[in-house]
Amino acid sequence: MMKQVGSHRLIFWLTFIPPTLWLLIFLLIPLSIIGSFSFSEKRGLIDIELSWILNNYIRAADLIYLSTLIKSIGVAGITTVICFLFGFPLALGIASAPPRWKSILLIAIILPFCVNLLIRTYALIAVFRTRGFFNFGLEWFADLINVPFEPLSLLYNDTAVILGLVYVHLPFMILPLYAGFEGFNKTLLEAALDLGASKLELLTSIIIPIITPSIISGCILVFIPALGSYLTPELLGGPNSQMIANVIERQFMNANDWPFGSALSMVLVYLTFGILALRYLCFNNLYLDKNKRRL
Amino acid sequence: MKLFPGGHLSRRKFLAGTGAVAAGLSLISRQAWCDETPKLNFYNWDTYIGETTLKDFKVASGINVKMDLFADNDELFAKLKVGNPGYDLIVPSSDYVERMILADMLMPLNDDMIPNRFNIQESFFDASFDPGRKYSLPYMWGTMGIGYRKSKMNSTPDSWKWLFDSDRYKGRCALLSEASDVLGAAFKYMGYSLNTKDPKIIKEAEKLLIKQKPNIKVFAPDNGQDLLLSGEVDITMEWNGDILQVMEEDPDISYIVPKEGSAVWEDALAIPKGAPHPENAHRFINFILEPSVGAKIADFIQYATPNKAAKQLMPESYSKNPAIYPSNETLSSCESSFYLGADVVRLYDEAWSRVLSA
């Protein structure tokens, strides 16, 4: 009896310690360093002194940084909506494909993750630049139907940034939606059809309400990393495409102002926590609504 | 059809990233000054050393050189400011040499160990960023200017006007993406000093850039030469060495220093404090300053060498090339950039943020 408790305890500690250490070393400690920098001031070129001042946050509320933040939220929002519009039918398609196809399609979704983001972004540049594959294809087609051809300028604007972000983040939308569709009791659909529901009603009153949690998860998984994206606007963006992460990078590098960069980073962290809190509240409300209906 | 014409499409940036990670991961032992192991950790820019220089040094001295790459001065500075992770020799640009001296990050050089320093042209010893050259010696130098595609220009673009104040090349021009580089060139165009500190003039430059922004295709993070080579833009602001590399591949590309003047830069060899092998670093500096070694490096990377003995060994196609060695008249209109202090750096950055979000 005692022995059993002992081995339980051992298993408990073995499973408890690694993730705790992980969280401590790679999340809590770095985050508290950045957090304390954000209340500090610069002393000369290298030194940073923790003096518990709010100046960095006051500066972060300046119109330049606020407008950049709002723009970033807009870009991330549009990215999320487009990912949902493409991801929803794709996930539904995969979930209802024959089992043999299912795994092939899933691998096709996951496979790009094996290639580094930087390389995939450069591949996009090779495809969409003025003398890139996309324009070559158009030129070939224009020649075919004898229309004069002027190459399109596809890179270095906001559309290119959103396209790049959608390309990178689409799997984060598809996978939770797919999981939602998989766990779905398909007999519900048959029952609804038997009772005379139209295809549209099937979608709006059965499918979407049931997989709402998956939709919210997918949206959060796309929105949060898109909000903090740095590489895509840096490489695909034009003179107007600066996002908040690019401003933060400049504070740590060119401007050599780590305290201010930390304050801007913390603003993003607070936003992320805010979104997660919102999700928690939404879920609670959803369940409450259901319970009310049952009553 | 080549996927990446030129092959060096931001290789600098990419390799520097991987190199930095590798350097961060490797544990480098901190040896004492006296009994040095035959090793040297060299932190350099990409494609910025001769093809065989490191091997030749190994043969000559038995010292193994391990080279890591950085993408820009900011990366170098950010990496070393939290403590030297084990580098023996670094190649900061002049204004960063100044910053690092101010921040007490460099070790004074021992002149007795570098007899070859007398191969360097005398004018380089008169450096305001490092008076008396106590901490650094020049490695390569060059200019900032305009790279352009000859067949697409109406006339030789010999003025900053075509990049900063004209819609002639609308949607076909690129500027660099660092605040101090772009603002500095704008100051020169408006007739001020490259190292302007006056908030009013900074504001004026900001307005000029915001007005010009609709004509600019992209602020290129040090890949203007690739944009030019791939036909994405026809005219770009760039460093001369970068344009020279693509001029070799495409004879339609050329380089000019605008008549209003520009920035002249110098990259210097320096030993950071906390270097585990400072003696080896001195030997390597002396080796690089050897005329034949310097000539081999210059021949490969095509930047201007400050080593007069090495320059004499080079063919005229190098030593008389105006893109490498601009005329004295051009040079007299150029300035080198200085570290202007934290307040001015902040003014620059804020102006730049406003330009980007306007």
Side-chain angles (χ1 to χ4, degrees):
Chain A
M1 187 70 186
M2 284 305 287
K3 204 177 167 191
Q4 222 177 350
V5 170
S7 76
H8 273 296
R9 216 170 256 166
L10 185 69
I11 290 169
F12 170 76
W13 284 114
L14 276 180
T15 48
F16 177 75
I17 288 178
T20 312
L21 278 181
W22 178 272
L23 278 177
L24 196 70
I25 296 172
F26 294 112
L27 185 75
L28 287 178
I29 293 177
L31 211 56
S32 19
I33 293 175
I34 295 287
S36 62
F37 275 174
S38 72
F39 295 105
S40 307
E41 38 183 345
K42 282 201 306 170
R43 290 264 181 268
L45 271 167
I46 325 185
D47 296 321
I48 291 168
E49 195 182 281
L50 181 58
S51 47
W52 299 108
I53 48 162
L54 284 173
N55 297 14
N56 298 311
Y57 286 98
I58 295 168
R59 191 175 159 205
D62 192 297
L63 195 65
I64 332 166
Y65 307 111
L66 268 190
S67 64
T68 311
L69 187 63
I70 289 166
K71 189 196 159 122
S72 308
I73 292 173
V75 168
I78 295 170
T79 304
T80 312
V81 170
I82 297 176
C83 278
F84 176 71
L85 292 181
F86 281 98
F88 189 86
L90 275 170
L92 190 59
I94 296 172
S96 41
R100 205 164 62 87
W101 276 100
K102 221 179 252 184
S103 42
I104 295 176
L105 289 171
L106 274 180
I107 289 171
I109 298 286
I110 298 167
L111 206 59
F113 279 112
C114 300
V115 180
N116 181 289
L117 172 63
L118 187 59
I119 299 186
R120 275 185 285 156
T121 309
Y122 273 121
L124 275 189
I125 294 179
V127 171
F128 287 110
R129 65 179 169 198
T130 312
R131 278 199 257 160
F133 298 123
F134 191 80
N135 271 320
F136 286 147
L138 285 182
E139 192 176 7
W140 174 82
F141 188 71
D143 275 356
L144 209 65
I145 55 171
N146 254 328
V147 180
F149 175 72
E150 190 63 37
L152 302 174
S153 203
L154 302 161
L155 283 182
Y156 310 118
N157 50 49
D158 286 349
T159 320
V161 174
I162 290 173
L163 186 116
L165 287 176
V166 169
Y167 167 66
V168 170
H169 291 106
L170 192 57
F172 294 109
M173 182 63 87
I174 293 179
L175 293 177
L177 286 181
Y178 167 78
F181 287 131
E182 276 293 279
F184 191 98
N185 185 353
K186 304 224 164 40
T187 53
L188 285 175
L189 296 180
E190 285 163 27
L193 283 173
D194 275 354
L195 295 170
S198 71
K199 289 254 165 81
L200 186 69
E201 278 172 317
L202 217 57
L203 190 70
T204 54
S205 23
I206 314 272
I207 299 180
I208 291 186
I210 290 181
I211 66 150
T212 299
S214 306
I215 294 177
I216 293 176
S217 300
C219 287
I220 287 178
L221 281 177
V222 172
F223 184 81
I224 289 177
L227 182 64
S229 58
Y230 159 73
L231 195 68
T232 314
E234 174 89 358
L235 291 179
L236 302 179
N240 287 317
S241 305
Q242 163 177 262
M243 284 173 73
I244 193 73
N246 306 94
V247 181
I248 294 175
E249 188 260 1
R250 277 216 314 281
Q251 302 312 316
F252 281 94
M253 302 298 262
N254 199 292
N256 190 31
D257 194 343
W258 290 26
F260 181 53
S262 301
L264 284 176
S265 309
M266 288 312 287
V267 169
L268 269 190
V269 172
Y270 300 144
L271 256 179
T272 308
F273 281 149
I275 294 165
L276 292 176
L278 208 66
R279 181 181 94 138
Y280 177 78
L281 291 175
C282 282
F283 267 119
N284 273 7
N285 284 341
L286 275 179
Y287 289 125
L288 283 179
D289 282 353
K290 268 184 204 154
N291 287 341
K292 269 185 211 151
R293 255 181 247 151
R294 262 182 221 145
L295 286 172
Chain B
M1 186 162 49
K2 285 202 282 178
L3 188 57
F4 293 121
H8 44 68
L9 188 101
S10 202
R11 193 172 52 192
R12 178 177 272 192
K13 203 153 208 170
F14 174 62
L15 280 180
T18 52
V21 171
L25 291 175
S26 64
L27 291 169
I28 300 157
S29 69
R30 287 169 192 236
Q31 288 281 328
W33 165 272
C34 44
D35 58 337
E36 277 184 11
T37 47
K39 279 185 193 159
L40 179 75
N41 300 310
F42 183 28
Y43 201 24
N44 190 13
W45 303 80
D46 188 24
T47 50
Y48 210 39
I49 188 84
E51 248 174 328
T52 59
T53 313
L54 304 184
K55 257 189 245 156
D56 296 345
F57 182 59
K58 158 100 182 157
V59 172
S61 68
I63 295 169
N64 257 323
V65 183
K66 184 171 156 287
M67 186 168 74
D68 286 333
L69 306 173
F70 58 85
D72 52 46
N73 283 301
D74 296 315
E75 188 183 333
L76 171 73
F77 187 77
K79 194 80 172 283
L80 286 165
K81 92 175 209 181
V82 288
N84 183 358
Y87 294 115
D88 299 305
L89 186 62
I90 54 174
V91 195
S93 304
S94 50
D95 50 332
Y96 278 77
V97 171
E98 196 180 359
R99 278 192 201 204
M100 288 179 156
I101 294 172
L102 280 174
D104 196 24
M105 290 160 75
L106 298 182
M107 204 182 260
L109 296 176
N110 180 351
D111 291 349
D112 297 338
M113 292 181 70
I114 314 172
N116 282 338
R117 66 203 299 272
F118 296 109
N119 289 330
I120 296 170
Q121 198 186 310
E122 293 74 18
S123 58
F124 284 93
F125 286 96
D126 174 31
S128 57
F129 58 86
D130 177 10
R133 299 228 74 134
K134 272 194 213 125
Y135 297 92
S136 68
L137 283 172
Y139 179 57
M140 291 286 158
W141 67 275
T143 52
M144 181 173 76
I146 298 177
Y148 60 99
R149 186 167 285 281
K150 290 185 241 172
S151 58
K152 297 284 175 80
M153 297 290 114
N154 303 9
S155 58
T156 309
D158 60 350
S159 164
W160 285 121
K161 179 180 175 188
W162 306 120
L163 285 174
F164 286 98
D165 202 7
S166 154
D167 59 359
R168 188 187 281 179
Y169 302 112
K170 184 177 168 65
R172 294 192 279 145
C173 59
L175 297 183
L176 286 170
S177 66
E178 277 199 12
S180 54
D181 300 334
V182 181
L183 288 172
F187 295 148
K188 283 304 246 184
Y189 171 64
M190 297 186 303
Y192 301 110
S193 158
L194 188 76
N195 297 298
T196 294
K197 292 179 175 182
D198 185 347
K200 254 190 252 156
I201 301 174
I202 297 172
K203 191 81 197 165
E204 220 177 296
E206 179 192 320
K207 278 189 196 141
L208 180 77
L209 284 166
I210 290 174
K211 199 177 122 233
Q212 177 67 0
K213 217 171 84 161
N215 300 322
I216 295 166
K217 180 157 193 175
V218 61
F219 294 113
D222 200 21
N223 64 344
Q225 73 276 23
D226 298 311
L227 298 175
L228 197 58
L229 186 66
S230 65
E232 201 67 46
V233 301
D234 293 327
I235 176 167
T236 181
M237 173 183 179
E238 253 301 346
W239 307 101
N240 62 333
D242 287 334
I243 298 296
L244 275 158
Q245 283 170 11
V246 292
M247 274 164 76
E248 270 178 26
E249 288 172 54
D250 187 342
D252 194 23
I253 292 175
S254 190
Y255 174 83
I256 190 166
V257 177
K259 60 182 182 215
E260 295 91 355
S262 180
V264 53
W265 55 266
E266 178 195 314
D267 288 338
L269 297 163
I271 303 176
K273 283 228 162 125
H277 315 101
E279 210 177 306
N280 294 346
H282 279 89
R283 289 170 76 179
F284 189 60
I285 295 176
N286 196 47
F287 180 75
I288 283 178
L289 293 175
E290 201 86 47
S292 61
V293 177
K296 261 191 185 170
I297 298 174
D299 184 49
F300 184 64
I301 67 177
Q302 295 285 310
Y303 279 93
T305 175
N307 186 328
K308 58 182 188 218
K311 189 182 168 189
Q312 271 167 11
L313 298 176
M314 295 293 290
E316 279 201 353
S317 62
Y318 169 89
S319 53
K320 293 255 152 70
N321 186 340
I324 301 177
Y325 289 100
S327 68
N328 286 334
E329 192 195 341
T330 309
L331 268 185
S332 63
S333 65
C334 292
E335 292 172 69
S336 42
S337 63
F338 301 124
Y339 174 59
L340 302 171
D343 292 342
V344 182
V345 169
R346 178 169 163 174
L347 278 181
Y348 278 22
D349 183 69
E350 285 177 347
W352 188 235
S353 290
R354 277 191 293 271
V355 169
L356 290 181
S357 60

